[in-house]
Amino acid sequence: GDRSRGHRQMRKNAAGGAAALELEMSTGTFEYDSDQDADTAAEYGEERASLIMGGFGNGGGGGGGRGLAKQRRGRNGNTANGADINAAAANSNGGGALSLTPKAKTALLVLAGLAAITFLFVDNAGVALDPARADAASGGEIDEGALYRPGASPHGNSFGGENNVGHPGGAKAASRGVGVAFEEIIIPASNFGMASRSLNAENVVNLLGHYMHDEHRSPYGSHLYDRGKEELDGEQARYVEKMAKVREEWGAWSFRDPRPDRPVANFDAVDYKDLPNDQLPEGCWQTDESYVKDFIREARGLVDRVQEGIYAEYGSPLKGGDGTTLTDEEKAERARRWGPKIVPADDEGAENDPNKDDPNGIATMSSVAFDGLVRKLLHALITNDEWYAVLGGHSAAAGHGNQFQQNRQITFHHLMEPVFDKLGVRLVSRNMGQGGVGTLQFSIGGKDMYGEADIMEWDSAMTEKGNTVDLWNKQAILSGERVPVILSPFHFNVMDETNGTAMMGNLLVDAPMVPATPDDEKQAEAMPWAIRHLDGRAEKYNAICWEPRSDLTPVENQDAHPGSQVSWHPGWRYHQFQGRKVALILLKGLAAALDRWEAGIEADGFPLAEDYWHVGGLYNTIREHLRTHVNTPNEVEVEGGEKTDVRSPCENAFPFLPRVCRVAMHGYGMWEPRAHKSYDLLNIIEPAPNGYRPHWVEKNWYSGFDVLPFVQRIPDGEVDPHAIAIATTFPAPDLDHDWIEDEDSGGGGTNSTPGANEPPTRRWLREATHRAFHNHLTVVDVGSLELAQRRAKSKSQQRRRLGDDSEAITPGRGWVAKGWAAGEGFCDGSPQSECNRGEHNKCMSVGHNDNHRDVAGSTLSGWLVFTVPNVKEGIIMARMEWWCGGNELLTKEWSEVNNGQTLDTAPWNVTEPWSQLSTRRLMAVKEEHPMHPDDYDSHRRLGKPTPEQLVLDDFKMDIAINGKITKTMEREEWISHIGEMSKNCAIWPLMDDISYAERDWAEGDDGETVEVAIRFRQESAPHQGYCLSHIYYA
């Protein structure tokens, strides 16, 4: 998305008329348009007032700004309904000045009066506009006198309130079209040319987060459960009691900003958001020394509380059951056992490290990696940026056997999201693991497949070994905008290749700091719940396929639990523990970052000097070292008369195209998860003359988050770090949660809107909740003028550039989309994903994202034409499958190419029976592709077909570039590429033109758009299908 804030309009709802205020973010001034025509005014008058400040930061690297999720930042997401005066009464303190004409001033006064009147009569006006109290609340108790302002400080609590549509107050707001699901979604993006789009609108809306992190409403008390009202009310009462106890025992977040308004620094104006301090607007929070010092103190308390919560959860509490507290020596020993263990980055230092043989610790990190982690965290804190955590791996890493929400990456996210939120940072976590394969299918596409990453973990040792893993490391560094901290056991020569600057570490799998579960069951039950049977000998899985709900009843009877519960797939406790390890790494980093912030101010003055937190220099240094070192034009060099291999392991893995190891790669793909919708291969396929192109027919059967399974609740009395993380001293929003049970047990009752004094029924609440679940999101991409101009230029190049023989390169109408789960969904690897929800799924809420999909076609399908943007290095490749197509394709009953309708322009319609033919056929035979196989290789070659059987002697593949056939690959050459460099990953080069890389590209030029087309020819077996799943390019 586009990072720059640009222009935003503020709409005011005032009786029968309206006035428009426009905020010019670059100057910080308001302009009033008094000549707005009546029709437009009336349109504005129908909308809720909303000043969208563009967020309190944005996501570098297409990460997108914190935009919408932070623009309505009242306590727990609650805002005044009716005329939302988010920041309209902003005065001219500090940065932006209120610049109004006399007419505008009069109009604004009228609006202010109307708003004040409206405020008195609007229901649920639980958030006042008065400034918050500057003094922190005492202890951990709710400060009932605190009134928190929406749209102000980024350091509050975003979750819950009217945005928690799983509870009556949020459902009632949704019934009026109020809440984050009904706002314009602002997706800012980087102006950095290599940045990958990584923030989806669903990540911003994040209804799951509002449901899970609401400190005042129990997720188990939702009206969406198929449980009686009395039971749900009991859950709510126990939750309120639990959270009160957490605040009392552990403390709570109580930071408030005393200022009623602040200007917002625009970090988007510079690369990497490295804004010089002298360009910070006066009055923004980063320039308020008192604010910063109070924030550091409050943040340090939060980090310490959550860290201690994890220690206590796993049997290492600060305070024992007898009331004694660990001594300093005992705390030091605990820190040694848990780590992470920081080791010297250089070989000599590592060799002389006295702790080198110490088996303890959750992870090992080089001192360079930890220092880089601290710098990156400081940068995120100061710029209110996104923080991207990405995991790539196999089925065990993906969490097969468990529900998707139980996997290690997502359990990490559920704990750390509310922590980062209070620190002003949006956490985006993705599990990009896939069953039965390695990581090469994604890593060769760079960050376009994985999304931007700040910390990136590799875990695919069961399915991937060897030199291709070196590409994973290199593309993690080279591609995208951000250079991540890399956690992997296989570093290869990356440290030498980057002159010791790469940020490398390794997450350890052992747990020497956790006591083993005794065989005696009574003794086992006395252990903390989180570590009991951590080894998986008992109670390994508690995943279910469906939690009974009041709003949905699946068409198919649901299985008791997900499949793939096999010996090599760890259970939920292991996943949670691995997630807690990553959480501890970041908590340690945050603690060090806060210390460095404070020490830096003391040493070099306020605000913190740029040398402490800017990241551009670090990223550029690492990348330049790697590009310079991995740049070997010859495979061998002569030393003393003998030949020596001088290429990196990555280059040896790609002897036909070693350049992929030293340039930033990009890609489009069919497989899921996929970090952003923009990189779907279907997006770049050109339609046939009649408008047809491969598509999906099936849709998800339901939308919205899955309710939490009751069987997975944390037992009473156990330490709950998540409750510690979400606790604040802010009182509950003034929302009406009253409701009554339906008149009949079958979910009947009235659907009518309840009267003024009549509480709604459960059915009415369900339908209101579903209004938020099904609302079509309005997304606005915002970018800098320079970026817009570049994209416009690129778009102008995206036209079909055919040669003289245009008919030969006409896009075919015989290609079809197919896959394990053939339907549309949102599968980006994040907790917000909604995957594999087909109507006839028998494990509906398992939620796993990995899904192998392809575009399939035969000789009769015609040309597959796709447009590849921003080609700068002259590299285009395709991942294909020689064995997957079969004969059950759209062309099964055809006897000639495109069924003899190559140039037919009669409009294609998705409702036409023939357009859905292939989907039905594929659904009928999808048993050949199990949903989540433990070993995909054995299934995909059921019956063991051979290339000799499927790729016959007369096989050919034509390749056309920009409308001209540039190569015909005969069978022998084509077969030479079916060898898999990594499990189930064979790659065919389509274009390798070094002249692109040798061009004198103008500064800021993103490259050239290239049209590529392929077709298969095989007269002896014209119906034999082949598949293409990814396009990679640079």
Side-chain angles (χ1 to χ4, degrees):
D2 302 345
R3 247 189 343 185
S4 184
R5 292 188 179 86
H7 300 281
R8 299 290 302 158
Q9 284 193 320
M10 181 175 68
R11 301 172 178 125
K12 286 295 193 172
N13 180 4
L21 293 176
E22 183 172 87
L23 175 62
E24 169 57 68
M25 292 305 299
S26 61
T27 62
T29 61
F30 292 100
E31 297 176 357
Y32 174 75
D33 181 3
S34 59
D35 297 322
Q36 190 170 13
D37 65 68
D39 290 340
T40 306
E43 178 186 347
Y44 285 161
E46 294 174 359
E47 301 192 23
R48 302 172 59 249
S50 177
L51 173 60
I52 301 179
M53 297 297 292
F56 293 90
N58 51 62
R66 288 174 60 76
L68 183 63
K70 291 293 182 182
Q71 61 114 349
R72 298 168 51 79
R73 185 145 186 91
R75 183 175 54 252
N76 296 30
N78 185 32
T79 64
N81 295 321
D84 286 350
I85 321 281
N86 282 2
N91 59 33
S92 57
N93 294 345
L98 192 63
S99 176
L100 298 175
T101 66
K103 285 185 178 181
K105 292 178 181 177
T106 302
L108 187 58
L109 287 173
V110 172
L111 287 171
L114 289 167
I117 294 171
T118 305
F119 182 82
L120 294 175
F121 289 95
V122 170
D123 62 338
N124 299 338
V127 180
L129 299 175
D130 303 53
R133 300 193 331 187
D135 57 317
S138 59
E141 297 179 355
I142 291 290
D143 183 2
E144 296 294 350
L147 296 173
Y148 203 74
R149 211 172 47 259
S153 166
H155 303 122
N157 177 23
S158 292
F159 296 112
E162 67 182 14
N163 292 320
N164 182 356
V165 299
H167 278 272
K172 293 174 184 180
S175 74
R176 301 187 301 272
V178 173
V180 68
F182 303 94
E183 301 284 356
E184 275 187 338
I185 312 301
I186 310 303
I187 305 290
S190 173
N191 194 42
F192 186 77
M194 292 194 306
S196 296
R197 301 189 67 167
S198 304
L199 188 69
N200 298 281
E202 292 84 351
N203 306 134
V204 177
V205 173
N206 192 14
L207 291 179
L208 175 66
H210 290 291
Y211 162 71
M212 292 190 64
H213 306 319
D214 189 336
E215 63 171 320
H216 299 293
R217 302 298 301 181
S218 168
Y220 295 101
S222 170
H223 57 268
L224 297 177
Y225 284 99
D226 187 20
R227 295 172 183 257
K229 185 176 187 300
E230 183 177 352
E231 181 180 356
L232 298 177
D233 288 345
E235 291 292 339
Q236 174 61 25
R238 285 189 291 274
Y239 185 75
V240 171
E241 182 180 349
K242 171 183 175 177
M243 290 305 302
K245 187 175 181 180
V246 167
R247 295 184 190 96
E248 179 183 356
E249 294 184 359
W250 292 88
W253 180 266
S254 60
F255 182 81
R256 298 177 183 86
D257 184 3
R259 284 195 53 173
D261 63 276
R262 288 185 184 275
V264 178
N266 181 10
F267 291 94
D268 310 311
V270 295
D271 288 347
Y272 304 108
K273 299 179 67 176
D274 286 347
L275 190 69
N277 285 341
D278 59 10
Q279 294 183 26
L280 292 170
E282 182 182 353
C284 68
W285 73 262
Q286 292 90 343
T287 65
D288 187 331
E289 187 168 5
S290 177
Y291 181 108
V292 169
K293 289 183 176 179
D294 288 345
F295 168 70
I296 291 174
R297 181 179 64 251
E298 188 77 27
R300 185 178 284 123
L302 172 66
V303 169
D304 289 346
R305 288 194 299 273
V306 177
Q307 184 171 273
E308 287 296 338
I310 296 175
Y311 287 152
E313 181 185 30
Y314 285 89
S316 299
L318 180 64
K319 183 179 292 187
D322 57 0
T324 60
T325 302
L326 295 181
T327 65
D328 290 343
E329 291 78 10
E330 290 171 330
K331 286 191 286 187
E333 173 60 18
R334 183 181 67 172
R336 183 191 68 80
R337 285 188 293 111
W338 282 85
K341 183 166 64 176
I342 311 302
V343 299
D346 61 288
D347 292 339
E348 183 178 353
E351 181 63 29
N352 297 325
D353 181 13
N355 298 318
K356 66 177 182 178
D357 296 323
D358 186 353
N360 288 285
I362 57 176
T364 60
M365 299 181 71
S366 73
S367 55
V368 169
F370 190 73
D371 185 74
L373 175 67
V374 171
R375 176 179 291 271
K376 286 170 64 66
L377 286 167
L378 257 179
H379 183 269
L381 293 174
I382 291 173
T383 61
N384 295 129
D385 202 355
E386 268 79 34
W387 182 271
Y388 291 97
V390 177
L391 168 66
H394 46 41
S395 58
H400 288 188
N402 305 273
Q403 287 167 270
F404 181 75
Q405 297 290 340
Q406 293 183 294
N407 77 66
R408 55 200 280 185
Q409 193 74 355
I410 305 305
T411 57
F412 153 81
H413 178 91
H414 291 326
L415 173 61
M416 291 301 293
E417 182 176 37
V419 175
F420 273 99
D421 177 72
K422 293 176 178 63
L423 302 181
V425 178
R426 176 188 285 123
L427 176 64
V428 180
S429 306
R430 292 192 166 101
N431 188 327
M432 306 297 285
Q434 294 183 322
V437 296
T439 61
L440 181 61
Q441 289 87 348
F442 278 7
S443 62
I444 199 169
K447 299 278 178 54
D448 290 355
M449 298 290 100
Y450 280 115
E452 292 289 342
D454 290 293
I455 186 166
M456 197 168 183
E457 183 188 355
W458 181 93
D459 182 13
S460 197
M462 285 194 300
T463 55
E464 185 175 41
K465 293 180 176 66
N467 293 341
T468 57
V469 183
D470 192 30
L471 177 74
W472 193 91
N473 294 331
K474 287 179 167 56
Q475 285 302 320
I477 293 172
L478 292 171
S479 63
E481 179 172 12
R482 305 170 187 225
V483 176
V485 174
I486 296 174
L487 300 178
S488 169
F490 303 113
H491 297 177
F492 294 90
N493 302 321
V494 169
M495 290 303 292
D496 289 339
E497 292 165 349
T498 60
N499 287 347
T501 59
M503 297 175 284
M504 307 298 290
N506 182 31
L507 190 72
L508 303 178
V509 298
D510 296 328
M513 70 292 294
V514 175
T517 303
D519 293 331
D520 183 82
E521 191 58 31
K522 288 187 178 181
Q523 293 179 355
E525 290 179 356
M527 299 185 70
W529 187 60
I531 63 175
R532 194 183 310 159
H533 302 297
L534 183 60
D535 57 12
R537 287 183 297 165
E539 301 178 9
K540 183 177 180 180
Y541 300 107
N542 65 359
I544 63 175
C545 285
W546 187 253
E547 176 70 34
R549 294 173 60 155
S550 66
D551 59 331
L552 296 168
T553 301
V555 175
E556 302 285 349
N557 291 330
Q558 296 292 284
D559 293 338
H561 58 77
S564 296
Q565 294 186 346
V566 292
S567 60
W568 58 90
H569 287 166
W572 71 268
R573 282 190 172 93
Y574 172 87
H575 278 281
Q576 178 176 282
F577 187 49
Q578 291 301 100
R580 295 292 195 261
K581 290 179 181 179
V582 179
L584 282 172
I585 291 173
L586 290 186
L587 289 166
K588 295 276 189 181
L590 284 166
L594 295 168
D595 290 343
R596 185 173 298 182
W597 199 345
E598 192 171 59
I601 292 172
E602 183 176 350
D604 298 312
F606 184 86
L608 184 68
E610 295 97 328
D611 289 346
Y612 288 93
W613 61 274
H614 280 193
V615 295
L618 173 66
Y619 294 173
N620 290 331
T621 296
I622 297 172
R623 284 171 170 156
E624 189 57 33
H625 283 322
L626 183 60
R627 290 192 192 99
T628 301
H629 188 97
V630 185
N631 190 21
T632 53
N634 300 310
E635 184 179 357
V636 297
E637 65 179 10
V638 178
E639 291 183 357
E642 296 186 4
K643 293 183 177 181
T644 302
D645 190 343
V646 297
R647 294 201 166 193
S648 67
C650 175
E651 291 172 296
N652 282 320
F654 293 88
F656 62 95
L657 233 176
R659 288 195 293 143
V660 301
C661 301
R662 51 184 183 262
V663 300
M665 293 297 295
H666 299 273
Y668 290 86
M670 295 287 288
W671 284 21
E672 292 171 329
R674 186 172 46 248
H676 198 277
K677 301 173 183 178
S678 296
Y679 303 113
D680 187 338
L681 179 62
L682 296 182
N683 292 341
I684 63 171
I685 294 177
E686 295 287 347
N690 69 338
Y692 172 82
R693 63 179 173 183
H695 62 284
W696 300 113
V697 175
E698 301 293 321
K699 306 286 185 182
N700 274 348
W701 177 68
Y702 71 103
S703 298
F705 54 76
D706 286 306
V707 295
L708 301 183
F710 263 74
V711 71
Q712 296 169 13
R713 300 175 60 190
I714 296 176
D716 293 339
E718 297 288 343
V719 176
D720 185 354
H722 177 259
I724 298 169
I726 65 176
T728 76
T729 60
F730 307 148
D734 184 15
L735 295 176
D736 178 12
H737 292 288
D738 194 19
W739 63 287
I740 59 175
E741 193 61 88
D742 295 323
E743 295 175 359
D744 60 82
S745 59
T750 178
N751 290 330
S752 61
T753 302
N757 298 315
E758 177 187 354
T761 65
R762 187 200 292 256
R763 171 179 286 184
W764 186 92
L765 289 177
R766 294 195 309 250
E767 293 182 355
T769 296
H770 278 245
R771 181 179 179 188
F773 285 168
H774 294 282
N775 185 57
H776 180 72
L777 300 178
T778 302
V779 182
V780 178
D781 288 322
V782 181
S784 70
L785 178 62
E786 180 186 358
L787 182 62
Q789 290 172 339
R790 295 208 322 250
R791 287 185 172 171
K793 176 183 176 182
S794 176
K795 188 174 182 179
S796 70
Q797 294 174 338
Q798 291 179 13
R799 61 187 186 275
R800 301 214 56 241
R801 292 176 292 181
L802 302 176
D804 296 334
D805 189 9
S806 60
E807 182 178 345
I809 317 294
T810 300
R813 56 195 296 161
W815 295 86
V816 64
K818 59 182 287 291
W820 289 349
E824 287 187 358
F826 173 64
C827 306
D828 74 328
S830 75
Q832 297 83 30
S833 62
E834 298 178 8
C835 287
N836 191 22
R837 294 179 173 184
E839 183 178 9
H840 298 286
N841 190 343
K842 293 185 178 181
C843 196
M844 194 71 77
S845 64
V846 65
H848 282 289
N849 280 219
D850 51 323
N851 185 6
H852 293 194
R853 296 178 163 189
D854 309 273
V855 174
S858 68
T859 292
L860 304 181
S861 298
W863 286 96
L864 180 65
V865 183
F866 42 91
T867 303
V868 183
N870 305 329
V871 177
K872 203 169 184 177
E873 300 288 340
I875 298 173
I876 301 178
M877 300 182 294
R879 179 198 170 274
M880 292 190 283
E881 298 174 358
W882 57 269
W883 43 265
C884 85
N887 294 313
E888 295 293 333
L889 300 177
L890 189 60
T891 59
K892 180 178 181 179
E893 298 175 2
W894 294 2
S895 60
E896 55 184 317
V897 174
N898 291 318
N899 203 24
Q901 298 172 301
T902 297
L903 299 179
D904 181 28
T905 59
W908 162 80
N909 192 311
V910 71
T911 63
E912 294 176 4
W914 73 268
S915 70
Q916 303 182 33
L917 178 63
S918 62
T919 298
R920 296 195 187 100
R921 287 175 176 162
L922 291 169
M923 292 294 289
V925 297
K926 70 177 184 178
E927 294 82 13
E928 296 178 6
H929 300 281
M931 194 64 63
H932 298 298
D934 302 326
D935 184 357
Y936 182 59
D937 190 67
S938 63
H939 291 279
R940 70 190 175 100
R941 291 177 179 164
L942 190 64
K944 298 182 179 179
T946 65
E948 287 70 25
Q949 293 172 303
L950 302 183
V951 187
L952 305 183
D953 290 342
D954 62 339
F955 174 90
K956 295 178 176 62
M957 183 180 76
D958 295 319
I959 304 170
I961 303 295
N962 292 333
K964 294 184 179 296
I965 297 177
T966 57
K967 184 180 182 65
T968 295
M969 217 179 255
E970 302 287 344
R971 180 187 184 278
E972 183 177 356
E973 182 181 2
W974 199 85
I975 286 289
S976 70
H977 292 286
I978 68 173
E980 298 178 351
M981 292 176 286
S982 179
K983 192 171 184 179
N984 191 12
C985 190
I987 296 172
W988 279 257
L990 303 181
M991 174 177 165
D992 181 12
D993 189 344
I994 192 67
S995 68
Y996 276 75
E998 295 170 345
R999 290 187 194 179
D1000 186 16
W1001 296 99
E1003 184 176 355
D1005 197 330
D1006 291 335
E1008 182 177 291
T1009 298
V1010 176
E1011 181 191 88
V1012 182
I1014 65 168
R1015 69 175 175 186
F1016 302 122
R1017 289 189 285 147
Q1018 188 170 230
E1019 293 183 6
S1020 59
H1023 294 99
Q1024 177 60 48
Y1026 308 97
C1027 299
L1028 183 148
S1029 66
H1030 293 78
I1031 291 295
Y1032 310 114
Y1033 70 98

